[in-house]
Amino acid sequence: MADRDTGDPDIRKGMPSVKLSREEFERRYRARFADPVFRPLEAELNAIIAAAWDAYSNSRKAPLTRKAGPGFADPDYEIGIDWLAAREAVLAAQRRHDDGNERLRILLINGSSRSEHTCPGEMSKTWRLVKLAEPVFAEMGFAVDILDLSRLAAEFGKQIHPCKACVSTSMALCHWPCSCYPNYSLGQTDDWMNEIYPLWVAAHGIMIVAPVNWYHAPTALKSMIDRLVCADGGNPDPSSTHGKTVAEAKALELKGWPYPRHLAGRYFGIVVHGDSVGAETLRRSLSDWLTDMSLISAGRMAEADGYVGYMAPYATSHQALDEDTAFQQEVLNVARALGNAVRLSRAGKLENPAKNLVVPEPK
């Protein structure tokens, strides 16, 4: 029977090839240099395009590699040096997290894409709430890292490339940290996630502040969420699957995959604000996502959602925030509750009630 939507008698048949012709590749590549300032550099640009075409046509995703070395399933497997550097950054962050002599760390995340440094010309209310919470953690003695996701929209060379859903083929194919990027042959570089992963790993508590965009998380926040899938059961050894070898990954998974929770045990707090709809829905979704990764809610006071300037004009929304001292207090309470949970946990006075329990069907 043909598939109803595509007419294809084999619904498992792959999509058509996306390999570009030399002409189309050059057209797209040249589009990056539309500024007339590049016209005197035509000869240089031709040489660069020829080199880029060579990398693309030969699919050189990771042109710089070295042998994996001791500690990997296949020490002789050639692994990209970018991934090895990302792995070392994650391991170093984990050592800081586990070191009892290090200051406890909070990762404070601005989930809004709006800022005064790009088209809107005005900072977001989310950023103001982040800066409201920051002094609370500082006063409690925490080291604070701020992850400002609005930089994706306002800063050159900051990208979060889309998740390729390797995990849906096999959990063992989804590497920790992600090995899908950079992909030099496709020009998929400047991926921010290799800097973001260590921030999550080093943190003892994570506080996310986000607005509602059409009932959902803003694009930048959702991109990070998708790319953190490798933290929830991802394979820390790409040599065990020789990169993206599907058959090897499936065989490894079917032997019994342990689903390592690379961020387990960290505490979280959430603030979601909207102007008309969706705040509670998004707050619940974020909470479900974090608890599914085995992070721990710091409690009801650490999860807040509400509306700033409900159904009022966008043009007066900052004034509405100024006047909404009750919501500001809720944000401060989220920070205090999260900080208290992290400190109590370090002192051995707050145990994870799920500690040592085995999930019968992990996924």
Side-chain angles (χ1 to χ4, degrees), residues 200-282:
W200 278 78
V201 173
H204 300 88
I206 292 97
M207 180 172 171
I208 298 176
V209 187
V212 180
N213 286 9
W214 281 119
Y215 288 90
H216 297 286
T219 302
L221 178 58
K222 186 58 168 65
S223 295
M224 181 188 69
I225 289 172
D226 286 351
R227 291 288 303 285
L228 276 164
V229 66
C230 56
D232 189 50
N235 181 358
D237 185 356
S239 78
S240 66
T241 57
H242 293 94
K244 298 292 183 176
T245 306
V246 171
E248 292 184 18
K250 288 187 173 184
L252 190 59
E253 182 182 17
L254 291 174
K255 288 179 181 178
W257 190 251
Y259 289 91
R261 311 293 181 178
H262 299 290
L263 298 174
R266 290 155 179 81
Y267 287 84
F268 70 83
I270 299 169
V271 174
V272 174
H273 65 93
D275 54 72
S276 58
V277 292
E280 185 177 12
T281 300
L282 178 55

Coordinates of all heavy atoms in Angstrom, one line a residue, residues 200-282:
W200 N 26.9 23.8 32.0 CA 25.9 22.9 32.7 C 26.6 21.9 33.6 O 26.1 21.7 34.7 CB 25.1 22.2 31.6 CG 24.0 23.0 31.1 CD1 24.0 24.0 30.1 CD2 22.6 22.9 31.4 NE1 22.8 24.5 29.9 CE2 21.9 23.8 30.6 CE3 21.9 22.1 32.3 CZ2 20.5 24.0 30.7 CZ3 20.5 22.2 32.4 CH2 19.8 23.2 31.6
V201 N 27.7 21.4 33.1 CA 28.4 20.3 33.9 C 28.9 20.9 35.2 O 28.9 20.3 36.3 CB 29.5 19.6 33.1 CG1 30.3 18.7 33.9 CG2 28.9 18.9 31.9
A202 N 29.5 22.1 35.2 CA 30.2 22.7 36.3 C 29.2 23.1 37.4 O 29.5 23.3 38.6 CB 31.1 23.8 35.9
A203 N 27.9 23.4 36.9 CA 26.9 24.0 37.8 C 26.4 23.0 38.8 O 26.2 21.8 38.5 CB 25.8 24.6 37.0
H204 N 26.1 23.5 40.0 CA 25.4 22.7 41.1 C 23.9 23.1 41.0 O 23.1 22.3 41.5 CB 26.0 23.0 42.4 CG 27.4 22.7 42.5 ND1 28.4 23.5 42.2 CD2 28.1 21.5 42.9 CE1 29.6 23.0 42.4 NE2 29.4 21.7 42.8
G205 N 23.6 24.2 40.5 CA 22.2 24.7 40.4 C 22.0 25.4 39.1 O 22.9 26.2 38.7
I206 N 20.9 25.2 38.4 CA 20.6 25.9 37.2 C 19.3 26.7 37.3 O 18.3 26.1 37.8 CB 20.5 24.9 36.0 CG1 21.9 24.3 35.7 CG2 20.0 25.6 34.7 CD1 22.1 23.0 36.3
M207 N 19.3 27.9 37.0 CA 18.1 28.7 37.0 C 17.8 29.3 35.6 O 18.6 30.0 35.0 CB 18.2 29.9 38.0 CG 16.9 30.8 38.0 SD 17.0 32.0 39.4 CE 15.5 33.0 39.0
I208 N 16.7 28.9 35.0 CA 16.3 29.3 33.7 C 15.2 30.4 33.8 O 14.2 30.2 34.5 CB 15.8 28.1 32.9 CG1 16.9 27.1 32.7 CG2 15.3 28.6 31.5 CD1 16.4 25.8 31.9
V209 N 15.4 31.5 33.2 CA 14.4 32.6 33.1 C 14.1 32.7 31.6 O 14.9 32.9 30.8 CB 14.9 33.9 33.7 CG1 13.8 34.9 33.7 CG2 15.5 33.7 35.0
A210 N 12.8 32.6 31.3 CA 12.4 32.6 29.9 C 11.0 33.3 29.7 O 10.1 33.1 30.5 CB 12.4 31.2 29.3
P211 N 10.8 33.9 28.5 CA 9.5 34.4 28.1 C 8.8 33.2 27.4 O 9.4 32.2 27.0 CB 9.8 35.5 27.2 CG 11.1 35.1 26.5 CD 11.8 34.3 27.5
V212 N 7.5 33.5 27.1 CA 6.7 32.5 26.3 C 6.7 33.1 24.9 O 6.3 34.2 24.7 CB 5.3 32.4 26.8 CG1 4.5 31.4 25.9 CG2 5.3 31.9 28.2
N213 N 7.0 32.3 23.9 CA 6.9 32.6 22.5 C 5.9 31.7 21.8 O 6.2 30.5 21.6 CB 8.2 32.6 21.8 CG 9.2 33.7 22.1 OD1 8.9 34.5 23.0 ND2 10.3 33.8 21.4
W214 N 4.7 32.1 21.6 CA 3.7 31.3 20.9 C 3.5 30.0 21.7 O 3.6 28.9 21.1 CB 4.0 31.0 19.5 CG 3.7 32.1 18.5 CD1 4.6 32.8 17.7 CD2 2.4 32.7 18.2 NE1 3.9 33.8 17.0 CE2 2.6 33.7 17.3 CE3 1.1 32.4 18.7 CZ2 1.5 34.4 16.8 CZ3 0.1 33.2 18.2 CH2 0.3 34.2 17.3
Y215 N 3.3 30.1 23.0 CA 3.0 28.9 23.8 C 4.3 28.1 24.1 O 4.2 27.1 24.8 CB 1.9 28.0 23.3 CG 0.5 28.5 23.3 CD1 0.0 29.3 22.3 CD2 -0.3 28.3 24.4 CE1 -1.3 29.8 22.3 CE2 -1.6 28.8 24.5 CZ -2.1 29.5 23.4 OH -3.3 30.0 23.5
H216 N 5.4 28.4 23.5 CA 6.6 27.5 23.6 C 7.8 28.3 24.0 O 7.8 29.5 24.2 CB 6.9 26.9 22.2 CG 5.8 26.0 21.7 ND1 5.6 24.7 22.2 CD2 4.8 26.2 20.7 CE1 4.5 24.2 21.6 NE2 4.1 25.0 20.7
A217 N 8.9 27.6 24.2 CA 10.2 28.2 24.5 C 10.7 29.0 23.3 O 10.5 28.6 22.1 CB 11.2 27.1 24.8
P218 N 11.4 30.1 23.5 CA 12.0 30.8 22.4 C 13.0 30.0 21.6 O 13.5 29.0 22.2 CB 12.7 32.0 23.2 CG 12.0 32.1 24.5 CD 11.6 30.7 24.8
T219 N 13.2 30.3 20.4 CA 14.0 29.5 19.5 C 15.4 29.2 20.1 O 15.8 28.1 20.0 CB 14.2 30.3 18.2 OG1 12.9 30.6 17.6 CG2 15.0 29.5 17.2
A220 N 16.1 30.2 20.7 CA 17.4 30.0 21.2 C 17.4 29.0 22.3 O 18.2 28.1 22.4 CB 18.0 31.3 21.7
L221 N 16.4 29.1 23.2 CA 16.3 28.2 24.3 C 16.0 26.8 23.9 O 16.6 25.8 24.3 CB 15.3 28.7 25.3 CG 15.0 27.8 26.6 CD1 16.2 27.6 27.4 CD2 13.9 28.4 27.4
K222 N 15.1 26.7 22.9 CA 14.7 25.3 22.4 C 15.8 24.7 21.7 O 16.0 23.5 21.8 CB 13.5 25.5 21.5 CG 12.9 24.1 21.0 CD 12.5 23.2 22.2 CE 11.7 22.0 21.7 NZ 12.5 21.1 20.9
S223 N 16.6 25.5 21.0 CA 17.8 24.9 20.3 C 18.8 24.3 21.3 O 19.3 23.2 21.1 CB 18.5 26.0 19.5 OG 17.7 26.5 18.4
M224 N 19.0 25.0 22.4 CA 19.9 24.5 23.4 C 19.3 23.2 24.1 O 20.0 22.2 24.3 CB 20.2 25.5 24.5 CG 21.1 25.0 25.6 SD 21.2 26.1 27.0 CE 19.6 26.0 27.7
I225 N 18.0 23.2 24.3 CA 17.3 22.1 24.9 C 17.5 20.8 24.0 O 17.9 19.8 24.5 CB 15.8 22.4 25.1 CG1 15.6 23.3 26.2 CG2 15.1 21.1 25.4 CD1 14.2 23.8 26.4
D226 N 17.3 21.0 22.7 CA 17.4 19.9 21.8 C 18.9 19.3 21.8 O 19.1 18.1 21.8 CB 17.1 20.3 20.4 CG 15.6 20.5 20.2 OD1 14.8 20.1 21.1 OD2 15.2 21.0 19.1
R227 N 19.8 20.2 21.8 CA 21.2 19.8 21.8 C 21.7 19.2 23.1 O 22.8 18.7 23.2 CB 22.1 20.9 21.3 CG 21.9 21.3 19.8 CD 22.4 20.3 18.8 NE 23.8 20.1 19.1 CZ 24.8 20.9 18.7 NH1 24.4 22.0 18.1 NH2 26.0 20.6 18.9
L228 N 21.0 19.4 24.2 CA 21.3 18.7 25.4 C 20.8 17.3 25.6 O 21.0 16.7 26.6 CB 20.8 19.6 26.6 CG 21.7 20.8 27.0 CD1 20.9 21.7 27.9 CD2 22.9 20.3 27.7
V229 N 20.2 16.8 24.5 CA 19.7 15.4 24.5 C 20.9 14.4 24.8 O 20.7 13.4 25.5 CB 19.0 15.0 23.2 CG1 20.0 15.0 22.0 CG2 18.3 13.7 23.3
C230 N 22.1 14.8 24.4 CA 23.2 13.9 24.6 C 23.6 13.8 26.0 O 24.3 12.9 26.4 CB 24.4 14.3 23.7 SG 24.9 16.0 24.0
A231 N 23.2 14.8 26.9 CA 23.5 14.7 28.3 C 22.6 13.7 29.0 O 22.8 13.3 30.1 CB 23.3 16.1 28.9
D232 N 21.6 13.2 28.3 CA 20.6 12.3 28.9 C 20.7 10.9 28.3 O 19.8 10.5 27.5 CB 19.2 12.9 28.7 CG 18.1 12.1 29.5 OD1 18.3 11.9 30.7 OD2 17.1 11.7 28.9
G233 N 21.8 10.2 28.6 CA 22.0 8.9 28.1 C 23.0 8.8 26.9 O 23.1 7.7 26.3
G234 N 23.6 9.9 26.6 CA 24.6 9.9 25.5 C 25.8 9.0 25.7 O 26.3 8.8 26.8
N235 N 26.4 8.6 24.6 CA 27.6 7.8 24.5 C 28.8 8.6 24.6 O 29.1 9.4 23.7 CB 27.5 7.0 23.2 CG 28.7 6.0 23.1 OD1 29.6 5.9 23.9 ND2 28.8 5.3 22.0
P236 N 29.6 8.4 25.7 CA 30.8 9.2 25.9 C 32.0 8.7 25.1 O 33.1 9.3 25.2 CB 31.1 9.1 27.4 CG 30.6 7.8 27.7 CD 29.4 7.6 26.9
D237 N 31.8 7.7 24.2 CA 33.0 7.2 23.5 C 32.6 6.9 22.0 O 32.1 5.9 21.6 CB 33.4 5.8 24.1 CG 34.6 5.2 23.5 OD1 35.1 5.8 22.5 OD2 35.1 4.2 24.0
P238 N 32.9 7.9 21.1 CA 32.6 7.8 19.7 C 33.3 6.6 19.1 O 32.9 6.1 18.0 CB 33.0 9.1 19.1 CG 33.0 10.1 20.3 CD 33.4 9.3 21.5
S239 N 34.5 6.2 19.6 CA 35.2 5.1 19.0 C 34.5 3.8 19.1 O 34.7 2.9 18.4 CB 36.6 5.0 19.6 OG 36.6 4.3 20.9
S240 N 33.5 3.7 20.1 CA 32.8 2.5 20.3 C 31.8 2.3 19.2 O 31.3 1.1 18.9 CB 32.0 2.5 21.6 OG 31.0 3.5 21.6
T241 N 31.5 3.3 18.4 CA 30.6 3.2 17.3 C 31.3 3.6 16.0 O 30.7 3.7 14.9 CB 29.4 4.1 17.4 OG1 29.8 5.5 17.6 CG2 28.5 3.7 18.6
H242 N 32.7 3.8 16.1 CA 33.5 4.3 15.0 C 32.8 5.5 14.3 O 32.5 5.4 13.1 CB 33.8 3.2 14.0 CG 34.7 2.1 14.6 ND1 34.2 1.0 15.3 CD2 36.1 2.1 14.8 CE1 35.3 0.3 15.8 NE2 36.4 1.0 15.5
G243 N 32.5 6.5 15.1 CA 31.8 7.6 14.6 C 30.3 7.4 14.5 O 29.7 6.9 15.4
K244 N 29.8 7.6 13.3 CA 28.3 7.4 13.1 C 28.0 6.2 12.4 O 27.2 6.2 11.4 CB 27.8 8.7 12.4 CG 27.9 10.0 13.2 CD 27.1 10.0 14.5 CE 27.2 11.3 15.2 NZ 26.3 11.4 16.3
T245 N 28.6 5.1 12.8 CA 28.3 3.8 12.1 C 27.0 3.2 12.7 O 27.0 2.7 13.9 CB 29.5 2.8 12.3 OG1 30.7 3.4 11.8 CG2 29.2 1.5 11.5
V246 N 25.9 3.3 12.0 CA 24.6 2.9 12.5 C 24.5 1.5 13.0 O 24.0 1.2 14.1 CB 23.5 3.2 11.5 CG1 22.2 2.6 11.9 CG2 23.4 4.7 11.2
A247 N 25.0 0.5 12.3 CA 24.9 -0.9 12.6 C 25.7 -1.1 14.0 O 25.1 -1.9 14.8 CB 25.5 -1.8 11.5
E248 N 26.8 -0.5 14.1 CA 27.6 -0.7 15.4 C 26.8 -0.1 16.6 O 26.8 -0.7 17.7 CB 29.0 -0.1 15.3 CG 29.9 -0.9 14.3 CD 31.3 -0.3 14.3 OE1 31.7 0.4 15.2 OE2 32.0 -0.6 13.3
A249 N 26.3 1.1 16.3 CA 25.5 1.7 17.4 C 24.3 0.9 17.8 O 24.0 0.8 19.1 CB 25.1 3.1 17.0
K250 N 23.6 0.4 16.9 CA 22.4 -0.4 17.2 C 22.8 -1.7 17.9 O 22.1 -2.0 18.9 CB 21.6 -0.7 15.9 CG 20.9 0.5 15.4 CD 19.9 0.1 14.2 CE 19.1 1.3 13.8 NZ 18.1 1.0 12.7
A251 N 23.8 -2.3 17.5 CA 24.3 -3.5 18.2 C 24.7 -3.2 19.6 O 24.4 -4.0 20.5 CB 25.4 -4.2 17.4
L252 N 25.4 -2.1 19.8 CA 25.8 -1.7 21.2 C 24.6 -1.4 22.0 O 24.6 -1.9 23.2 CB 26.7 -0.5 21.1 CG 27.5 -0.1 22.3 CD1 28.4 -1.2 22.8 CD2 28.3 1.2 22.0
E253 N 23.6 -0.7 21.5 CA 22.4 -0.4 22.3 C 21.7 -1.7 22.7 O 21.2 -1.8 23.8 CB 21.5 0.5 21.5 CG 20.3 1.0 22.3 CD 19.4 1.9 21.5 OE1 19.5 1.9 20.3 OE2 18.5 2.5 22.1
L254 N 21.5 -2.6 21.7 CA 20.8 -3.8 22.0 C 21.4 -4.8 23.0 O 20.7 -5.7 23.5 CB 20.5 -4.5 20.6 CG 19.5 -3.8 19.7 CD1 19.5 -4.5 18.3 CD2 18.2 -3.6 20.3
K255 N 22.7 -4.6 23.3 CA 23.3 -5.3 24.3 C 22.8 -4.9 25.7 O 23.0 -5.6 26.7 CB 24.8 -5.2 24.2 CG 25.5 -5.9 23.0 CD 27.0 -5.7 23.0 CE 27.6 -6.3 21.8 NZ 29.1 -6.1 21.8
G256 N 22.2 -3.8 25.8 CA 21.7 -3.2 27.0 C 22.4 -1.9 27.3 O 23.5 -1.9 27.9
W257 N 21.7 -0.8 27.0 CA 22.3 0.5 27.1 C 22.1 1.1 28.5 O 21.0 1.0 29.0 CB 21.8 1.5 26.1 CG 22.6 2.7 26.0 CD1 22.1 4.0 26.4 CD2 23.9 2.9 25.6 NE1 23.2 4.9 26.3 CE2 24.3 4.3 25.8 CE3 24.9 2.0 25.1 CZ2 25.5 4.8 25.4 CZ3 26.1 2.5 24.7 CH2 26.4 3.9 24.9
P258 N 23.1 1.6 29.2 CA 22.9 2.1 30.6 C 22.3 3.4 30.7 O 21.9 3.8 31.8 CB 24.3 2.1 31.1 CG 25.2 2.4 29.9 CD 24.5 1.7 28.8
Y259 N 22.1 4.2 29.6 CA 21.6 5.5 29.7 C 22.2 6.4 30.8 O 21.5 6.8 31.7 CB 20.0 5.5 29.9 CG 19.3 5.0 28.7 CD1 19.0 3.6 28.5 CD2 18.9 5.8 27.7 CE1 18.4 3.1 27.4 CE2 18.2 5.4 26.5 CZ 18.0 4.0 26.4 OH 17.3 3.5 25.3
P260 N 23.5 6.7 30.7 CA 24.1 7.5 31.7 C 23.5 8.9 31.7 O 23.4 9.6 30.7 CB 25.6 7.6 31.3 CG 25.6 7.3 29.8 CD 24.4 6.3 29.6
R261 N 23.1 9.4 32.9 CA 22.6 10.7 33.1 C 23.7 11.7 33.5 O 24.0 11.8 34.7 CB 21.5 10.7 34.2 CG 20.4 9.6 34.0 CD 19.6 9.8 32.8 NE 18.6 8.7 32.7 CZ 17.7 8.6 31.7 NH1 17.6 9.5 30.8 NH2 16.8 7.6 31.7
H262 N 24.2 12.4 32.5 CA 25.5 13.1 32.7 C 25.3 14.4 33.6 O 26.2 15.0 34.0 CB 26.1 13.5 31.4 CG 26.4 12.3 30.5 ND1 27.5 11.4 30.8 CD2 25.9 11.8 29.4 CE1 27.6 10.5 30.0 NE2 26.6 10.6 29.1
L263 N 24.0 14.8 33.8 CA 23.8 16.0 34.6 C 22.9 15.7 35.8 O 22.4 16.6 36.5 CB 23.0 17.1 33.7 CG 23.8 17.6 32.5 CD1 22.9 18.5 31.7 CD2 25.0 18.3 32.9
A264 N 22.8 14.4 36.2 CA 22.0 14.0 37.3 C 22.4 14.7 38.6 O 23.6 14.9 38.8 CB 22.0 12.5 37.4
G265 N 21.4 15.0 39.4 CA 21.7 15.5 40.8 C 21.8 17.0 40.9 O 21.8 17.5 42.0
R266 N 21.9 17.7 39.8 CA 21.9 19.1 39.9 C 20.5 19.7 40.2 O 19.5 19.1 39.7 CB 22.5 19.7 38.7 CG 24.0 19.5 38.5 CD 24.4 19.5 37.0 NE 25.8 19.2 36.9 CZ 26.4 18.0 36.9 NH1 25.6 16.9 37.0 NH2 27.7 17.9 36.7
Y267 N 20.4 20.8 40.9 CA 19.1 21.3 41.3 C 18.7 22.4 40.3 O 19.6 23.0 39.6 CB 19.2 21.9 42.7 CG 19.2 20.8 43.8 CD1 20.3 20.2 44.1 CD2 18.0 20.4 44.3 CE1 20.3 19.2 45.1 CE2 18.0 19.4 45.3 CZ 19.2 18.8 45.7 OH 19.2 17.8 46.6
F268 N 17.4 22.7 40.1 CA 17.0 23.7 39.2 C 15.9 24.5 39.7 O 15.1 24.2 40.6 CB 16.6 23.1 37.9 CG 15.3 22.3 37.9 CD1 14.1 22.9 37.8 CD2 15.3 20.9 38.0 CE1 12.9 22.2 37.7 CE2 14.2 20.2 38.0 CZ 12.9 20.8 37.9
G269 N 15.8 25.7 39.2 CA 14.7 26.7 39.4 C 14.3 27.3 38.1 O 15.1 27.3 37.1
I270 N 13.0 27.7 37.9 CA 12.5 28.1 36.7 C 11.6 29.4 36.9 O 10.8 29.4 37.8 CB 11.6 27.1 36.0 CG1 12.4 25.8 35.7 CG2 11.0 27.6 34.7 CD1 11.5 24.6 35.3
V271 N 11.8 30.4 36.0 CA 10.9 31.5 36.0 C 10.4 31.6 34.5 O 11.2 31.8 33.6 CB 11.5 32.8 36.4 CG1 10.6 34.0 36.2 CG2 12.0 32.7 37.9
V272 N 9.1 31.6 34.3 CA 8.5 31.8 33.0 C 7.5 32.9 33.1 O 6.7 33.0 33.9 CB 7.8 30.5 32.4 CG1 7.1 30.8 31.1 CG2 8.9 29.4 32.2
H273 N 7.7 33.9 32.2 CA 6.7 35.0 32.1 C 6.1 35.2 30.8 O 6.8 34.9 29.7 CB 7.4 36.3 32.6 CG 8.5 36.8 31.7 ND1 8.3 37.7 30.6 CD2 9.8 36.5 31.6 CE1 9.4 37.9 30.0 NE2 10.4 37.2 30.5
G274 N 4.9 35.6 30.7 CA 4.2 35.9 29.5 C 3.4 37.2 29.5 O 3.5 37.9 30.6
D275 N 2.7 37.5 28.5 CA 1.8 38.7 28.5 C 0.4 38.3 28.2 O -0.5 39.2 28.4 CB 2.3 39.7 27.5 CG 2.4 39.1 26.1 OD1 1.4 38.8 25.5 OD2 3.6 38.9 25.6
S276 N 0.1 37.1 27.8 CA -1.3 36.7 27.5 C -1.6 35.3 27.8 O -2.6 34.9 28.4 CB -1.7 37.1 26.1 OG -0.9 36.5 25.1
V277 N -0.7 34.4 27.3 CA -1.0 32.9 27.3 C 0.3 32.1 27.5 O 1.4 32.6 27.2 CB -1.8 32.4 26.1 CG1 -3.2 33.0 25.9 CG2 -0.9 32.8 24.8
G278 N 0.1 30.9 28.0 CA 1.2 29.9 27.8 C 2.2 29.8 28.9 O 3.1 28.9 28.9
A279 N 2.2 30.7 29.9 CA 3.3 30.7 30.9 C 3.3 29.4 31.7 O 4.4 28.8 31.9 CB 3.2 31.9 31.8
E280 N 2.2 28.9 32.2 CA 2.2 27.7 33.0 C 2.5 26.5 32.2 O 3.3 25.6 32.6 CB 0.8 27.5 33.6 CG 0.7 26.3 34.6 CD -0.6 26.1 35.2 OE1 -1.6 26.8 34.8 OE2 -0.8 25.4 36.2
T281 N 2.1 26.5 30.9 CA 2.4 25.3 30.1 C 3.9 25.2 29.8 O 4.5 24.1 29.9 CB 1.7 25.5 28.7 OG1 0.3 25.5 28.9 CG2 2.0 24.3 27.8
L282 N 4.6 26.3 29.5 CA 6.0 26.3 29.3 C 6.8 26.0 30.6 O 7.7 25.2 30.5 CB 6.5 27.6 28.7 CG 8.0 27.8 28.5 CD1 8.5 26.6 27.6 CD2 8.3 29.1 27.9

